[in-house]
Amino acid sequence: MGRILIIADTEDSCFATPRGLELARRLGHSAEVVAFTYAPLKGMKLNAAAQSEAKKRLLARREAQVQTRIDKYRKGEQKVSLKVVWEKHLCDWVVKRCSKPYDMVVKTGHRTETLMYTPTDWQLLRECPAPVLIVADRKWHRTKPILAALDLGTRVPEKRALNHRVLETARHLAEALQAELKIITALEIPTLLQDLDLVDPLAYTREMKDRMEPHLQELARAHKLPEKAFRCKKGPVSRVITSTAARDRAQLVVMGTVGRKGVRARLLGNTAETVLRHLKTDVLAIKP
């Protein structure tokens, strides 16, 4: 049996808990909900006993709040564990927790006014060793398709192996959710080369499709899928994924992400992060 770690929402609106519990039930996985709470008690004029009592009360209130949500959304005899943690740095705790194997971590994505997700979401995407499901703050459309986004043009063995993981995960989710599986890959022509007439778009497209063909056939055979199920669309990767997900009204996009860190991550971002800025649906990001 697999395990899903669900990060409880802090606001009254609740998306991660019902989505995570439903996925755990459908997949036959156990569900572990973790709720975070923290207050800077040491900065208050309280003695040690008063601080301890305040901490206990805050933890108890948080536990009661989240347990009520769990009781509302779990189905039948579904067993769900709840852990309430006194922790300021959510991501650090989750990353450490995921040193044990989890099939995925489920968290509601939080957008700011500039449509950028919070640093916690980005940090989880880059550093969490388990796949991270960022849940959109909207109603879940259970009957809509699952979209697998692949990089068929890569020659890097690590990324080719990641394609297998993405496709296997998407196929498994589609079966468990009784949803249609759709597969997309982008044929991206370097803009600078095209603008300077250094590449013939038609010839480049044919060359890229020829290069993709062996890997496409390999994936089709390994996952028992028809080759016609793999769709190729010209355009930047992030635009192809977001437009396809919007057109197909996908309930979930499964994609690989090779997380950058440090200055490069802050300046350039990742494809997954670019997609998240524009997608209005759930995204499951899987690392190699």
Side-chain angles (χ1 to χ4, degrees), residues 147 149-150 184-186 233 236-247 253-255 271 275 279:
L147 180 65
L150 305 178
I184 189 68
T185 190
K233 184 177 178 181
V237 176
S238 57
R239 187 182 303 166
V240 167
I241 295 173
T242 53
S243 64
T244 302
R247 186 186 66 245
V253 174
V254 184
M255 62 183 297
T271 300
V275 170
L279 271 179

Side-chain angles (χ1 to χ4, degrees), residues 144-157:
K144 303 305 180 185
I146 305 293
L147 180 65
L150 305 178
D151 179 7
L152 295 182
T154 184
R155 293 179 176 177
V156 179

